[in-house]
Amino acid sequence: MNSAQARTTKAAHLTGRLFLLCRIDEAADSRATDELRSLQLGSTHRIDVFNFFGWPGPLTLDPSWDWVDCDGIILHDSLAGDFDAFDEVAGYMPASLAGFQGVKILLRRGIGGEQIDVLSFAKENGFRIVTEPWTADALDNLVAQSEAEKGNRARILPCGATTSVHVLQLCAHAPHKDPRIGWVAAFAPEGMIVHTLGCSNQPDDPLAESVEITEGGRLVVTENLACFDGKAAGWEVLADEETGPAAALWCRLDAIGRLRQPRSGSVCGPSAADVRDVDFSSLCRHFAVCGAALLHAAVRFERIDALVASDPDSLLPACILKRMWKVPLIYDSHEFWSESFPRFSTWEREFWRGVERQLIAECDAVFTVSRPLASHMSEVFGVPFGSVPNCEPLTGSGDAEPAVVKDSGDRTIFLFMGNYAEERGLEKLVKLWPHTPENAILHFRGHRAGIYPELASLARESGLLDRRIFFLDPVKEEEMVRAAREAHVGLIPYEAIGPNNTFCCPNKLSQYCTAGLAILANKLVFVEECIYEAGNGLAADINDAGQFVEAVARLSGDREALFVMQRNSLRFHRQVFNWQQAGKPLYSSLQRLTSDSSREGPARAAFFRTIMMMPAFGGWGLLADGTVAPRKPSRVEELCAHVATLNDWLERRRQQIEKLQSERKSLKDKLRKREKKIAELSRRRGLLTKLLDRLLGKRDAPGSAPAQDKTE
């Protein structure tokens, strides 16, 4: 195996990232050069070598360089040969080393007077001092020993059975926020293990990631975006891979998100209005940072056989991983994403629809949450979509008793459960409630955000707040079904605006059925189909107040019919509308795709490395032939340089425009003054003309003495 092959093989199994600082003249000290090269090639860790000989060090280029962004620091005592170089290193390191919990090693070649400063510095800062000879195996053992002494910071977590098919599910939010994410993982068929990778922003949490090991060896990993700067984004791992169009798309979104003065017209065409520029740029930045964080964590999984992505912001990194790992990819679209933002302009919808179309072309199978929505998206994207509805799983806990058997008197409780968002018909619901029967009680349960203040104000104006309209405290996702059992009827008043609402399958539909509630919904295509199939409620047009109020009156006035509908909800959930039944097409597709792609070699254990492997910040590394050369910038770094240049150019142009505007204002002021002077002169000229006319008129008047002829 040649050096290049060795480096490629090692790169596929990296467990951590170590920084090694040295000062070596490769021409004069071939021994030290060979030793460090053997460490790089033989270690299971990625070792970035920063050579201060003949080059300005990375610290001089970027004083904000943070040592906490690596797993270990290795000092080579060759630094002592140049006190200036060592003083430079020592001058920056102590402040950061105080909180550094990674491996700290000093590699010594001997004891000499010139090395005393290096030794004292190493001892003061808790470095483990190692004398030659050095080998890659010895270094790896030392790193493992040091990590064990520090509380086993570096862990390799096994991922279930060796013979299982391992699937990695990606989402661009905390995994627990969407119950469908948990269902996909928890109810996979025998022989398949679905791990979950998400991200969230937790500024108060010092941990870069949280890892939870669930039943059966399933891992739930959540990257903390607050600890992930996303500058270089770790995308240099893609430099030698065929990553397809998704990497180029990420670069484009990242560039737009970095612009200090975003201009949608320059990106999406001249018809784009700039009123949405800031929000558009922020959303592009969200895609870039979340995608980078997910990829940064995903590359530390070993032996993944298939990928599942939910929504476009996680589909972007999934498409890159598909090319890197050569595994099948399934897109589980939880909604028609580009139509899910009411405030999107037309050009924004077109832009994001184009992004989604480009990514969908990379997928092996695509699903969404209802048959009508699948049909619509198939027509829009030209790819056949399957449907997997949002359905609560069967728990085996027995039948839930319908709320009607409880001692609730004559009251009938109508419940809306979820976020207070626009286009959900909530304002209309509050406005028509005064016209409903007195025994109809309206409960809202959700986080008091979004349009909650408007809803509370409308309820107060109606005089029904805390009498017949109540706003209850939110509950956790896993407690929603239990909390729903306190009501009799579940409400889905979403307005039929756009395909996302018209063809929706909201989680609450299944939660209401599981809780044994009758359902009252607006006329939404899929929801209405389910109601009439199950016989568990009514569908009424919320834009027709009389029709909707009549439906409320029927449900609150006929207890026997209400009880039948509640029983039908439970039956519909147990027999048809549960995840074990609804999720079968997704799992069948995964089984088909993973059986088609044969895995080479013997079965290997899958695992996840918790050691951080942060992106390189810059510097110089030893090449395979032992020479020292600048590291080639990645595509993203080059693009970021172009973005920085573009930002500088935009700043200069802004200053030039401000200067020209100032000069223009000054010229306008001068012009106004000139115009005033001209007007004044014109006025005076008029006065003088009139005066002259008067004088000439008096001279020529009759009776005036004739002028004397001077010649006489």
Side-chain angles (χ1 to χ4, degrees), residues 273-296:
D274 61 359
V275 69
R276 292 275 306 156
D277 278 339
V278 174
D279 289 342
F280 174 67
S281 177
S282 299
L283 194 53
C284 290
R285 187 65 185 149
H286 161 80
F287 265 70
V289 173
C290 288
L294 291 173
L295 183 68
H296 165 249

Side-chain angles (χ1 to χ4, degrees), residues 391-394 398-402 485 509-519 529-537 561-579 581:
C391 298
E392 285 281 333
L394 293 171
D399 297 346
E401 287 297 331
R485 289 181 180 139
L509 173 61
S510 173
Q511 291 165 340
Y512 293 156
C513 290
T514 307
L517 272 62
I519 295 174
E529 287 179 3
C530 291
I531 289 175
Y532 286 116
E533 179 183 351
N536 64 344
L562 179 62
F563 185 79
V564 171
M565 292 178 184
Q566 292 176 324
R567 283 295 185 190
N568 288 343
S569 279
L570 289 173
R571 178 189 53 78
F572 185 56
H573 165 63
R574 295 192 199 100
Q575 297 179 2
V576 179
F577 210 61
N578 59 75
W579 183 257
Q581 293 293 328

